[in-house]
Amino acid sequence: MKLSAPPEPRSIAAACATVDLDIEGMHCAACVTRIEKFLKRVDGVSDASVNLATNRARVSYDPGRAAPAALIGAVERAGYQAQPRHDSPAGAAAAPPARDLIGAALLGTPVLVVGMLWQPRPVAAEWLLCAASAVVILYFGRSFIAGAWQALKSGGGATMDTLIALGSLAAWLYSFAELVAARRPQTYFETGSTIVTLILMGRYLEGRARSRAGDAVRALANLAPKTALVVRGDGEAVETDVGRIQVGDVIRIRPGEKAPVDGVVVSGSSALDESLLTGESVPVVKEQGAIVVGGSLNTTGSLDVRATAVGAHAVLATIVRLVENAQASKPPVQRLADRISAIFVPIVLAVSASTFVIWLALRAPAGIALQDAVAVLVIACPCALGLATPTAIIVGVGRAASLGMLVRDAQALESAGRVSMVIFDKTGTLTEGRFEVTDIVPASGMDPRRLLAIAAAAEQGSEHPIAKGILARAVDEGLSAPAPARFRSVTGGGVCAEVDGVEVLAGSADFLEQRGMAAPATESSAETLVHVAEAGRYAGSIALKDRIRDSSAGAIDALSRLGIASALVSGDVEAVASDVAARVGIGTVMAQVKPDGKVEAVHQLRREAAGPVAMVGDGVNDAAALAAADVGIAMGAAADAASEAAGITLLRADLAGVARAVVLSRRVVAVIRQNLFWAFAFNAIGIPLAAAGRLSPMIAAFAMAFSSVAVVSNSLRLKNA
Ligand code: ADP
Ligand code: MG
């Protein structure tokens, strides 16, 4: 009897690592599920997701129990090659080499022509066809045979390679047997070689198209130059490899060059074109202190920039990573397609065998029965099914990135088109978030300059745009605000601090009232009022106005033309919120919503809209509301691109991106639907036709190759969506 050690207790949150593997040799959805199955069987692997369009597997595993080498071994046992992911951007596989295709076509075409047209033919010609088609099948088609063999060796199972290899070999072997044994042989040598040639052609075209699907992310990754001029201590600039730049180095960017890393301008002034990063086509003027994002193009002047983030930490690298992750993610619908194709291959083998047997039983000649069985094998491969969704997602996510929209995953892209209402935050979203003081109304006996001074002092610690507006006005008036003590800020309310030994409050009417002070009822104003109290007594109010973004009204209009309602949720008072809403064309307004009430507001509006809702806000203040919505859309600069809560991040401060995201999403979903429909229909019509003897194996091979190419090409249309 063998004793086995008791299983070690493991913490619930087992250590988890993720690795990306580059996979070679995948051709269809059946390959995807097969590799996933083999990977998941490895001890310690918790999840494995394979993407046909990127040729990549992402595996989550417990590093204590599994190692990357074991994962690679599992992929190899499944019949494919794997290696740890290259650092190069994926997005799609490189286009496949055309050598085998050219060879197969050169030899296969004469075989096809002779086989079809020269009848009856002498035995010598038969032997020539026999030899030529053998070369095509066994040599140029060796990848199918090797793949099928691998799959068989590694514990049975069949892949698309099995179907092609079996089909072409069966036709050839039958013909060979006829040639050897029959007096008047009826051969089908052209069948096998034509199948191999056509499928090779299909794979080649599909591979080329697939590699184009990754163009957008490759363009992004190639934005950063490979070398840069680093300014040394003595002021001389030296050409340096970008990989060797360190944080703190000063880099000189001449006109026409691209920023190699992220940084802050230390001297010089120039306009930078960030269009490839944000989609914004107007160059932005940058002077000392301005943030420069790696990858942006310097147009006119020379700039010296101090590096603040390099390598994987730079914004561009982060964006590329996010786009790649999104491209590799699968929407739920694809998981279904993958599951179907997993059981597909065995079923097809059974259908094919039955076809052969039934036709024989119906007294059809063996050669004809075999042709029909081969046609079933060839037509049934679920290639197109596996490519239907991932190619559309890759192209769609890439297109979004080139429009300045970062999509977190396939799901976000898919659901954006379904929303029935878009909820907007006010400050910083519909408005620019740059407040200007328009009026200072002191309480009787209060000096207006003093009112501004104490308010500015109290606001010094606040990050709120209102605080910045008040401080800016104080600076304009030449006031020097004393430093506050004991500063406290209440989000969505106001601030409270000790100025020159007295307590000063500045905030909304509610904020003051909750602290026992009455604020005047001036609700009807369309300006935001900040009420100030000093030592427990109301001291006056400061009115501020925020500019509405130029893009706001147009964005709301575009949404309503798409049949989507808009709503405004704001912490500001009713009068201001309604004024902004009226001016941009929003009907539904919820005012005086505290920050933690915004989540509840999202839920309430979703019930009213009776459909999914999107929330548009800034990724920092509105994170909870963004996460609560079906689609969170963050308005951000490229610098804080990776907003966790947002499904979509608009890199450009332009609300038109919201409608654009909806339109793109709808197009992507439409393309996925078309792809899945055709892929299913193709098999649903093709298999019965083939089994009924209505489809020659060569036509089947052509249709099969065509269906994959058609699906990928359809997805590529999204490049211009
Ligand atoms: P929004 O939802 O429009 O982005 P907030 O939730 O940030 O607005 O703020 C709501 C209200 O709280 C503001 O309109 C203002 O009256 C008050 N408030 C918030 N922060 C401050 C501050 N630092 N100073 C003065 N008032 C503030
Ligand atoms: Mg806000």
Side-chain angles (χ1 to χ4, degrees):
M1 190 176 118
K2 247 171 56 189
L3 280 176
S4 62
E8 272 181 45
R10 224 173 321 119
S11 66
I12 305 203
C16 191
T18 338
V19 68
D20 283 349
L21 301 175
D22 283 329
I23 311 257
E24 224 178 280
M26 286 196 289
H27 299 293
C28 65
C31 307
V32 170
T33 31
R34 184 178 168 82
I35 297 174
E36 283 177 355
K37 196 170 79 190
F38 273 69
L39 282 170
K40 282 179 187 161
R41 251 195 243 146
V42 176
D43 184 49
V45 169
S46 51
D47 194 26
S49 171
V50 175
N51 189 309
L52 179 59
T54 51
N55 282 332
R56 216 163 247 181
R58 167 155 301 173
V59 192
S60 307
Y61 64 102
D62 172 0
R65 292 195 289 154
L71 305 176
I72 291 174
V75 176
E76 280 167 359
R77 273 197 306 288
Y80 307 85
Q81 262 80 57
Q83 58 188 120
R85 140 183 195 171
H86 288 307
D87 225 16
S88 70
R99 233 176 311 128
D100 284 339
L101 168 60
I102 293 169
L106 284 179
L107 213 53
T109 312
V111 172
L112 174 65
V113 172
V114 170
M116 299 284 284
L117 300 182
W118 189 6
Q119 241 147 9
R121 50 191 177 243
V123 173
E126 293 286 359
W127 280 109
L128 266 177
L129 289 183
C130 173
S133 61
V135 173
V136 173
I137 297 167
L138 297 175
Y139 181 72
F140 296 119
R142 64 194 177 284
S143 61
F144 304 112
I145 295 170
W149 176 243
Q150 263 288 344
L152 193 67
K153 204 175 58 176
S154 60
T159 66
M160 172 187 173
D161 287 333
T162 315
L163 302 180
I164 305 301
L166 202 61
S168 53
L169 280 176
W172 188 88
L173 282 173
Y174 173 85
S175 306
F176 182 70
E178 275 274 307
L179 185 53
V180 173
R183 271 198 54 230
R184 233 178 290 136
Q186 186 63 48
T187 66
Y188 304 94
F189 286 117
E190 73 276 16
T191 298
S193 55
T194 308
I195 291 173
V196 166
T197 308
L198 285 171
I199 304 291
L200 281 175
M201 182 190 74
R203 284 190 183 177
Y204 174 75
L205 292 177
E206 167 211 316
R208 276 193 32 171
R210 276 203 275 160
S211 81
R212 279 185 55 206
D215 284 352
V217 77
R218 262 197 298 277
L220 268 180
N222 290 333
L223 277 183
K226 305 281 170 272
T227 62
L229 287 179
V230 174
V231 183
R232 288 197 316 217
D234 57 11
E236 200 190 322
V238 191
E239 179 113 1
T240 312
D241 209 56
V242 165
R244 291 175 48 200
I245 296 177
Q246 287 177 344
V247 172
D249 284 352
V250 173
I251 294 134
R252 180 153 304 154
I253 309 168
R254 291 171 300 195
E257 289 179 346
K258 286 179 191 148
V261 295
D262 299 348
V264 175
V265 178
V266 287
S267 68
S269 147
S270 178
L272 289 186
D273 177 355
E274 298 177 334
S275 60
L276 283 161
L277 277 168
T278 65
E280 169 70 69
S281 53
V282 183
V284 187
V285 176
K286 306 266 179 177
E287 286 170 343
Q288 192 177 356
I291 292 173
V292 171
V293 181
S296 43
L297 175 71
N298 185 13
T299 55
T300 47
S302 183
L303 286 177
D304 278 6
V305 171
R306 185 181 308 283
T308 53
V310 301
H313 302 288
V315 169
L316 182 61
T318 309
I319 291 178
V320 168
R321 209 156 48 235
L322 287 171
V323 173
E324 279 186 356
N325 282 349
Q327 288 183 325
S329 66
K330 283 184 193 177
V333 55
Q334 184 60 28
R335 298 198 184 273
L336 177 70
D338 285 354
R339 222 172 306 143
I340 292 174
S341 53
I343 52 168
F344 218 74
V345 175
I347 291 179
V348 169
L349 288 172
V351 172
S352 169
S354 316
T355 303
F356 184 66
V357 171
I358 290 172
W359 277 117
L360 280 188
L362 294 173
R363 306 197 173 281
I368 301 290
L370 187 80
Q371 288 272 314
D372 295 340
V374 169
V376 171
L377 285 182
V378 173
I379 194 90
C381 182
C383 268
L385 209 51
L387 292 165
T389 325
T391 50
I393 294 292
I394 289 194
V395 183
V397 167
R399 176 63 183 153
S402 59
L403 290 171
M405 304 187 277
L406 284 188
V407 176
R408 188 182 52 206
D409 54 21
Q411 181 128 32
L413 185 61
E414 204 189 13
S415 32
R418 279 202 309 265
V419 299
S420 49
M421 176 182 267
V422 177
I423 305 165
F424 290 90
D425 171 52
K426 179 180 73 78
T427 309
T429 303
L430 286 172
T431 68
E432 289 179 345
R434 275 200 291 267
F435 282 90
E436 262 173 43
V437 173
T438 50
D439 205 3
I440 299 174
V441 193
S444 58
M446 184 76 184
D447 172 40
R449 281 173 62 83
R450 185 169 152 68
L451 174 62
L452 182 61
I454 57 170
E459 293 280 15
Q460 266 179 71
S462 169
E463 281 290 303
H464 202 280
I466 288 180
K468 295 194 174 134
I470 292 178
L471 281 162
R473 179 61 176 260
V475 170
D476 278 355
E477 303 216 345
L479 294 170
S480 62
R486 281 220 285 273
F487 170 82
R488 225 156 36 81
S489 133
V490 175
T491 318
V495 294
C496 157
E498 223 169 75
V499 181
D500 288 339
V502 264
E503 191 187 48
V504 173
L505 298 180
S508 64
D510 267 1
F511 180 72
L512 260 67
E513 269 155 27
Q514 277 159 15
R515 282 156 188 80
M517 275 152 279
T522 40
E523 279 288 312
S524 57
S525 160
E527 279 151 6
T528 300
L529 285 178
V530 170
H531 305 290
V532 185
E534 187 187 23
R537 285 188 45 221
Y538 172 68
S541 305
I542 298 174
L544 299 101
K545 203 159 183 73
D546 191 3
R547 252 178 59 88
I548 293 174
R549 279 187 206 279
D550 294 336
S551 61
S552 295
I556 309 292
D557 186 44
L559 284 173
S560 83
R561 268 184 278 127
L562 292 168
I564 298 169
S566 299
L568 169 61
V569 172
S570 173
D572 216 334
V573 291
E574 183 76 39
V576 182
S578 302
D579 178 60
V580 170
R583 283 205 267 155
V584 299
I586 291 181
T588 311
V589 183
M590 291 176 78
Q592 275 184 296
V593 182
K594 292 273 165 279
D596 46 2
K598 284 189 180 172
V599 170
E600 187 39 48
V602 166
H603 290 310
Q604 188 187 326
L605 286 167
R606 182 194 284 124
R607 279 191 298 275
E608 280 168 24
V613 294
M615 168 84 204
V616 189
D618 58 67
V620 193
N621 286 330
D622 302 318
L626 292 182
D630 300 280
V631 188
I633 302 178
M635 295 265 291
D640 41 41
S643 172
E644 279 290 322
I648 297 173
T649 302
L650 304 180
L651 295 179
R652 193 170 9 151
D654 178 358
L655 281 177
V658 178
R660 216 172 281 139
V662 169
V663 170
L664 181 63
S665 162
R666 288 182 182 176
R667 298 231 168 106
V668 169
V669 169
V671 164
I672 290 177
R673 287 227 182 93
Q674 291 155 7
N675 284 353
L676 285 175
F677 173 80
W678 285 114
F680 271 113
F682 169 78
N683 280 316
I685 298 167
I687 296 176
L689 268 185
R694 300 281 154 186
L695 208 58
S696 102
M698 290 176 287
I699 302 285
F702 180 78
M704 227 255 1
F706 174 76
S707 73
S708 315
V709 175
V711 159
V712 180
S713 309
N714 194 34
S715 295
L716 284 175
R717 289 193 308 139
L718 289 169
K719 278 189 152 190
N720 308 313

